[in-house]
């Protein structure tokens, strides 16, 4: 047998394209069915490698400006790309294999396809199995389709057409199935109620209620506690990892007297705290929206470390998605290991089963999907620090203008939050003439927890049709926020907040 592309004659490139694509799709589809949107799914692994290859600032701006949707789009692009690549490679392997094993060309072809796809995918695979099974599926599909294809290519009869159609239908069916399984896996299982005692449930509810009462009632603005489904999201994963809490364990390892392991239920049975804490992303611009405040229910993170008899003075937090952050132990003073958010089970997007809530630092230290706390002797950097960011210092002071309304009496109303970590906010100052003159905004009563934002509002009767608003804050130490504007990269945004208000008089 002598198989070459040119044997097919006119139109064969299109056929070849179809063959290649179909087998590539089967490789990717099989991987999706096996692993859903976890790290082991070849598309996720590839997109993560690609993210690592791009300059840090580019990656961060993609993640921070476009969020989840851009990563979801990148998944589709990578999925198609990977299908093409594995399809072409599978085809090449098939051709080479069939020639190498002259006596049994078919066997040689399938083996060739399998080994070459496996070889190409190995650097992306998290485990041998995650490469072997998809590669095998690709080889088999390539064999099926290519054999039929050749058969049809030589003599087109109704019979062979039907055979080809059947093959295509079978492959399409197979991939519809893999897609469905993958999507189901990606959804994961969710529990909706917190598995803590009624008393604790009530304590969480009380914390939430008191925050609600302190909040101003301002249209279009979040309250002191941001609703869970409105809470911003920053994630290096195209889809949040699915963790099965039954099989998940948190380990305390490294420089410890005795390694410790904690199960999900065990952690929930420990002493529970309910603390409001604000989280702001290091990549959040002055006028950005990557800030939120929630009530985190959990247990003290350092208590777990203490039980392992730590011998170093730093901890490295490691997550199931490969994300990590190390910090001096005292930076985690008071930190909550949270399994609840706003009185409900911590959602997958925010780190189910547990995440860290570290006081006074940028959001990135609040490691989600935590699985290991390693005690280490010295500082070992973290995910974004390895990518050029520099944000281990306390958060900067910022004022957010989150609402501008026209009240029924004609007054203009502005509202928002100001945040300065555990320094707290003393005053929020507003200028409506571009920074010439200043007055104090009205502040809502502060929340009692140490690392929380402060709510403010400011109203005036407009006399002109246009106002240039500037907002700045004085933190709890009496320090007025510096005026100079800087971009988030690399150490966090600084500067006063501006808003142009145009009024229909
Ligand atoms: N494991 C893991 N933890 C993570 C991240 C991540 O991508 N993976 N993103 C971090 C960043 S940069 C921020 S700002 C916060 C955002 O938390 P949120 O998505 O719950 O708002 O989570 C941090 N923890
Ligand atoms: Mo972040």
């Amino acid at each position: 047998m002598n198989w070459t592309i040119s044997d097919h004659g006119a139109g064969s490139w299109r056929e070849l394209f179809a063959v290649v694509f179909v087998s590539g799709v089967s490789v990717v589809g099989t991987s999706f069915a096996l692993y859903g949107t976890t790290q082991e799914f070849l598309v996720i692994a590839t997109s993560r490698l690609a993210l690592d290859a791009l300059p840090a600032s580019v990656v961060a701006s993609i993640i921070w400006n476009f969020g989840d949707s851009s990563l979801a789009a990148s998944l589709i692009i990578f999925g198609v790309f990977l299908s093409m690549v594995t399809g072409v490679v599978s085809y090449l392997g098939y051709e080479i294999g069939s020639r190498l094993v002259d006596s049994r060309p078919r066997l040689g072809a399938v083996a060739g396809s399998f080994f070459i796809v496996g070889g190409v995918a190995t650097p992306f695979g998290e485990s041998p199995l995650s490469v072997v099974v998809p590669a095998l599926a690709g080889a088999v599909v390539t064999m099926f389709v290519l054999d039929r294809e050749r058969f049809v290519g030589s003599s087109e009869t109704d019979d062979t057409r039907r055979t080809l159609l059947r093959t295509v239908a079978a492959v399409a069916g197979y991939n519809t199935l893999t897609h469905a399984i993958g999507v189901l896996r990606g959804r994961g299982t969710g529990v909706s109620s917190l598995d803590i005692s009624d008393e604790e449930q009530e304590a969480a509810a009380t914390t939430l209620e008191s925050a609600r009462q302190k909040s101003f009632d301002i249209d279009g603005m979040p309250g002191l506690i941001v609703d869970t489904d409105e809470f911003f999201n920053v994630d290096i994963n195209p889809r949040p990892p699915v963790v099965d809490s039954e099989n998940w364990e948190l380990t305390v390892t490294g420089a410890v007297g005795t390694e410790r392991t904690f199960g999900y239920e065990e952690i929930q049975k420990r002493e529970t705290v309910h603390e409001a804490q604000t989280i702001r992303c290091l990549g959040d611009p002055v006028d950005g929206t990557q800030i939120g405040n929630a009530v985190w229910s959990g247990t003290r993170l350092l208590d777990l470390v203490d039980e392992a008899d730590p011998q170093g003075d730093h901890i490295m937090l490691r997550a199931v998605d490969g994300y990590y952050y190390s910090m001096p132990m005292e930076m985690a003073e008071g930190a909550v290991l949270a399994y609840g958010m706003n009185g409900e089970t911590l959602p997958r997007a925010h780190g189910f089963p547990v995440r860290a809530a570290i006081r006074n630092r940028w959001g990135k230290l609040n490691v989600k999907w935590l699985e290991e706390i390693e005690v280490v002797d010295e500082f070992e950097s973290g995910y974004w620090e390895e990518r050029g960011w520099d944000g281990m210092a306390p958060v900067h002071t910022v004022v957010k203008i989150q609402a501008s309304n026209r009240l029924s009496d004609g007054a203009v109303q502005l509202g928002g939050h100001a945040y300065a970590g555990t320094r707290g906010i003393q005053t929020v100052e507003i200028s409506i003439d571009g920074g010439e003159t200043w007055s104090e905004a009205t502040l809502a009563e502060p929340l009692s927890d140490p690392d929380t934002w402060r709510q403010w509002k400011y109203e005036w009767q407009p006399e002109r049709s246009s106002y240039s608003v500037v907002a700045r804050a004085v933190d709890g130490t009496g320090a007025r926020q510096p005026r100079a504007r800087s971009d988030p990269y690399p150490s966090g945004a600084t500067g006063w907040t501006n808003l142009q208000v145009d009024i229909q008089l």
Side-chain angles (χ1 to χ4, degrees), residues 187-450:
R187 259 188 217 146
T189 47
V191 250
S192 56
S193 67
L194 257 192
D195 191 17
I196 52 178
S197 69
D198 290 352
E199 242 165 79
E200 289 302 344
Q201 196 86 55
E202 214 158 281
T206 310
T207 312
L208 281 166
E209 187 45 40
S210 102
R212 256 172 217 133
Q213 278 170 10
K214 287 175 178 171
S215 302
F216 294 138
D217 184 19
I218 295 178
D219 248 14
M221 185 172 100
L224 275 161
I225 304 295
V226 177
D227 289 343
T228 303
D229 48 7
E230 309 266 302
F231 205 94
F232 81 98
N233 208 227
V234 178
D235 188 342
I236 60 167
N237 312 283
R239 301 277 302 126
V242 181
V243 181
D244 174 9
S245 58
E246 300 264 308
N247 299 319
W248 168 91
E249 276 176 348
L250 176 69
T251 54
V252 183
T253 62
V256 292
T258 38
E259 276 202 12
R260 293 295 314 265
T261 304
F262 301 92
Y264 184 58
E265 281 178 19
E266 199 180 344
I267 289 177
Q268 298 201 22
K269 288 212 179 79
R270 299 174 64 92
E271 197 187 329
T272 306
V273 291
H274 309 280
E275 264 184 31
Q277 189 194 297
T278 303
I279 295 184
R280 182 183 178 208
C281 184
L282 178 61
D284 180 49
V286 167
D287 315 293
T289 55
Q290 271 134 359
I291 186 167
N293 184 60
V295 173
W296 307 98
S297 298
T299 193
R300 295 278 174 221
L301 187 141
L302 286 185
D303 285 357
L304 272 68
V305 176
D306 279 345
E307 285 177 23
D309 180 20
Q311 250 111 79
D313 48 19
H314 286 68
I315 48 171
M316 168 68 90
L317 306 181
R318 294 185 197 281
V320 304
D321 59 344
Y323 188 90
Y324 59 98
Y325 256 96
S326 111
M327 67 198 80
M329 203 126 28
E330 69 254 18
M331 214 179 262
E333 208 62 62
V336 176
L337 180 74
Y339 44 76
M341 179 178 185
N342 293 339
E344 280 166 10
T345 305
L346 184 69
R348 215 178 115 197
H350 297 289
F352 179 85
V354 301
R355 80 170 310 163
I358 311 282
R359 286 179 185 168
N360 203 31
R361 305 286 152 168
W362 297 99
K364 64 198 174 100
L365 288 187
N366 297 253
V367 178
K368 306 189 269 189
W369 312 290
L370 189 63
E371 64 173 357
E372 184 187 355
I373 304 174
E374 188 189 355
V375 177
V376 289
D377 296 324
E378 53 189 55
F379 183 65
E380 287 182 23
S381 194
Y383 185 89
W384 291 111
E385 263 45 29
E386 287 301 302
R387 286 156 181 79
W389 292 77
D390 176 15
M392 296 302 292
V395 289
H396 296 153
T397 302
V398 71
V399 182
K400 297 290 181 187
I401 306 177
Q402 293 163 305
S404 66
N405 299 316
R406 194 74 187 277
L407 301 180
S408 50
D409 65 355
V412 178
Q413 178 192 55
L414 298 181
H417 289 87
Y419 177 56
T422 51
R423 299 188 299 283
I425 293 289
Q426 207 170 76
T427 44
V428 171
E429 299 169 332
I430 304 290
S431 166
I432 56 172
D433 54 11
E436 303 262 313
T437 57
W438 295 85
S439 357
E440 281 189 18
T442 310
L443 296 181
E445 226 186 296
L447 293 172
S448 54
D449 295 318

Side-chain angles (χ1 to χ4, degrees), residues 37-69:
T37 46
T38 63
Q39 299 295 300
E40 298 198 287
F41 176 33
L42 290 173
V43 173
I44 301 261
T46 316
S47 59
R48 284 283 293 273
L49 281 189
L51 276 188
D52 280 350
L54 289 170
S57 57
V58 174
V59 174
S61 80
I62 293 175
I63 294 183
W64 289 336
N65 292 325
F66 303 102
D68 267 7
S69 53

Side-chain angles (χ1 to χ4, degrees), residues 155-199:
S155 65
E156 284 205 23
T157 65
D158 280 357
D159 228 25
T160 52
R161 272 239 176 76
R162 264 201 297 281
T163 322
L164 177 65
L165 277 179
R166 263 207 297 276
T167 310
V168 170
V171 174
Y174 173 70
N175 280 297
T176 308
L177 189 70
T178 58
H179 185 81
I181 296 175
V183 167
L184 280 181
R185 283 185 175 255
R187 259 188 217 146
T189 47
V191 250
S192 56
S193 67
L194 257 192
D195 191 17
I196 52 178
S197 69
D198 290 352
E199 242 165 79

Side-chain angles (χ1 to χ4, degrees), residues 10-33:
S12 65
W13 279 106
R14 207 166 47 217
E15 284 156 17
L16 176 71
F17 181 85
V19 166
V20 157
F21 190 67
V22 151
S23 69
V25 163
S26 301
V27 173
V28 172
T30 304
S31 173
F32 187 44

